[in-house]
């Protein structure tokens, strides 16, 4: 029975709860389940077999606590009185000046990243690069040779010889690219060779006492994880997913941080949702594929059963953690304050809600 497999994959659960779920299935009634998102409680009525059971957790604390000090790093400032400095056209580098490239009627955007010469593929001929001088609103054009990125379809990305002398090649991405199938998506970007997996996040883990926590997983085997995510190559792109009411109610189960170094991508995301979708922001625009709830369950079961997990406790203090720090943590069904040892320091990048953060001074300690 699918409901039993989900619970077993995530953790132990009260047998009485399982029996009640089974009784509700036999009676044909819809069951009510609850999930939490962004720290706010919300209730969602779902049909039997929906994957919201990912948020249910059995008795006892499953993962040790890791304390992290965070600081948000983005280009925006809370103080709206700050004045942005705009460079004059002649003060900009070539990749800053010419941020748009046109090839076969398709617009590509500069990744502001110099490509590696060993990734340079065959010549595609000349293309027109464009840029606008913001201070004068003058349009500038430049014709340059462009090239394939080895192993990647030109429909996704190309490299341009901005210098015109074969010295500097820059990556340009087609943000409007939309694949037909999951297999085509993998092939066009050569994901098997180019994708790098990072930290995995379960941001809506509901503890036995009803509190919501973020759990961080590391140590996934790349080949196993790739196979679990991308094995269903025939699945078509879920067109219209991001415009549908279904998407508004669909929530992420896990978020996987990924890098694609050849394209200059760092710390972007692949997410698996409760309704059975694989979604990603590779090439800037959202893409979704329905891989099915059972496949999402298989991925979560692998992650929780084979990866190292820590419940994260965030602090925005600017003071460094001492050797002994107090943290509130759920043990069984009770909240307690315990002295936990902070054992190591380092920096990890990842997702917190919708913001990218840098975590500094991280440390981990088991809470019995």
């Amino acid at each position: 029975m699918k409901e039993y497999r989900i619970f077993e994959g995530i953790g132990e659960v009260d047998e009485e709860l399982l029996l009640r779920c089974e009784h509700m299935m036999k009676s044909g009634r819809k069951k009510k389940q609850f999930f939490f998102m962004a720290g706010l409680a919300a209730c969602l009525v779902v049909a039997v077999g929906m994957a919201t059971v990912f948020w249910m957790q059995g008795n006892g604390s499953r993962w040790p606590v890791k304390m992290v000090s965070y600081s948000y790093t983005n280009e925006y400032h809370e103080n709206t009185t700050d004045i942005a400095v705009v460079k004059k056209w002649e003060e900009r580098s070539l990749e800053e000046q010419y941020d748009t490239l046109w090839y076969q009627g398709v617009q590509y955007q500069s990744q502001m990243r110099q490509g590696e010469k060993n990734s340079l593929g065959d010549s595609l001929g000349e293309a027109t690069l464009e840029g606008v001088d913001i201070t004068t609103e003058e349009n500038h054009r430049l014709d340059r040779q462009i090239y394939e990125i080895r192993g990647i379809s030109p429909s996704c990305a190309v490299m341009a010889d901005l210098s015109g002398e074969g010295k500097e090649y820059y990556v340009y991405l087609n943000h409007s690219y939309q694949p037909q199938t999951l297999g085509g998506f993998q092939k066009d970007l050569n994901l098997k060779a180019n994708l790098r997996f990072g930290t995995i996040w379960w941001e809506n883990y509901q503890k036995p006492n009803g509190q919501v926590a973020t759990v961080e997983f590391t140590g996934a085997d790349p080949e196993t994880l790739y196979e679990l995510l991308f094995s269903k190559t025939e699945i078509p792109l879920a067109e219209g997913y991001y415009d549908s009411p279904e998407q508004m109610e669909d929530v992420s189960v896990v978020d996987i941080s990924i890098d694609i170094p050849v394209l200059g991508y760092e710390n972007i995301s692949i997410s698996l949702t409760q309704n059975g979708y694989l979604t990603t922001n590779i090439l800037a625009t959202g893409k979704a594929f329905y891989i099915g709830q059972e496949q999402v369950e298989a991925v979560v079961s692998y992650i929780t059963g084979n990866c190292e997990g820590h419940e994260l406790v965030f602090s925005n203090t600017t003071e460094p953690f001492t050797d002994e720090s107090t943290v509130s943590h759920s043990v069984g069904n009770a909240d307690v304050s315990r002295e936990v040892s902070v054992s190591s320091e380092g920096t990890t990048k990842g997702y917190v809600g919708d913001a990218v953060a840098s975590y500094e001074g991280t440390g981990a300690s088991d809470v019995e």
Side-chain angles (χ1 to χ4, degrees), residues 89 98 129-134 136-142:
W89 177 261
Y98 297 96
L129 287 81
E130 295 181 345
V132 178
D133 184 342
I134 298 177
T136 65
E137 297 185 356
E138 181 181 358
N139 293 316
H140 296 263
R141 291 192 173 189
L142 191 68

Side-chain angles (χ1 to χ4, degrees), residues 85-278:
V85 177
V86 178
K87 290 182 180 180
K88 294 180 180 180
W89 177 261
E90 58 273 15
E91 294 174 343
R92 299 181 184 182
S93 61
L94 280 172
E95 69 273 17
E96 291 174 330
Q97 290 176 336
Y98 297 96
D99 58 356
T100 301
L101 180 152
W102 290 92
Y103 173 63
Q104 294 186 342
V106 177
Q107 185 182 60
Y108 293 69
Q109 296 298 134
S110 174
Q111 185 70 344
M112 301 295 178
R113 178 186 182 276
Q114 191 169 351
E116 299 177 1
K117 287 189 177 181
N118 60 7
S119 297
L120 196 67
D122 295 335
S123 173
L124 296 170
E126 275 195 353
T128 299
L129 287 81
E130 295 181 345
V132 178
D133 184 342
I134 298 177
T135 58
T136 65
E137 297 185 356
E138 181 181 358
N139 293 316
H140 296 263
R141 291 192 173 189
L142 191 68
D143 292 329
R144 287 289 185 263
Q145 287 288 324
I146 65 169
Y147 299 82
E148 291 183 351
I149 299 175
R150 187 166 296 161
I152 291 179
S153 169
S155 64
C156 298
V158 297
M159 281 201 292
D161 176 14
L162 287 187
S163 67
E165 301 175 352
K167 295 180 179 179
E168 295 180 349
Y169 299 91
Y170 284 83
V171 176
Y172 285 76
L173 305 180
N174 175 14
H175 291 170
S176 63
Y177 164 81
Q178 294 289 298
Q180 293 185 338
T181 65
L182 186 58
F185 186 51
Q186 298 174 63
K187 181 179 179 181
D188 287 346
L189 287 165
N190 196 11
L191 290 180
K192 184 73 173 178
N194 293 320
L195 194 65
R196 303 289 183 269
F197 293 112
T199 304
I200 301 170
W201 307 89
W202 183 1
E203 293 181 9
N204 297 295
Y205 159 57
Q206 185 175 329
K207 299 191 288 187
N209 65 352
Q211 292 182 344
V212 173
T214 297
V215 182
E216 170 195 79
F217 295 98
T218 57
D221 176 65
E223 292 187 6
T224 301
L225 188 56
Y226 187 91
E227 182 66 19
L228 286 167
L229 292 171
F230 296 108
S231 60
K232 297 186 176 183
T233 57
E234 73 287 355
I235 292 173
L237 180 74
E239 296 184 22
Y241 171 81
Y242 288 98
D243 300 321
S244 67
E246 179 183 30
Q247 185 270 339
M248 299 299 293
E249 297 182 353
D250 202 7
V251 296
S252 172
V253 176
V254 292
D255 296 295
I256 305 169
S257 176
I258 61 169
D259 298 339
I260 306 180
V262 70
L263 297 181
Y265 277 129
E266 294 182 359
N267 201 35
I268 58 176
S269 173
I270 290 175
S271 297
L272 302 179
T273 76
Q274 82 168 31
N275 288 347
Y277 286 87
L278 181 153

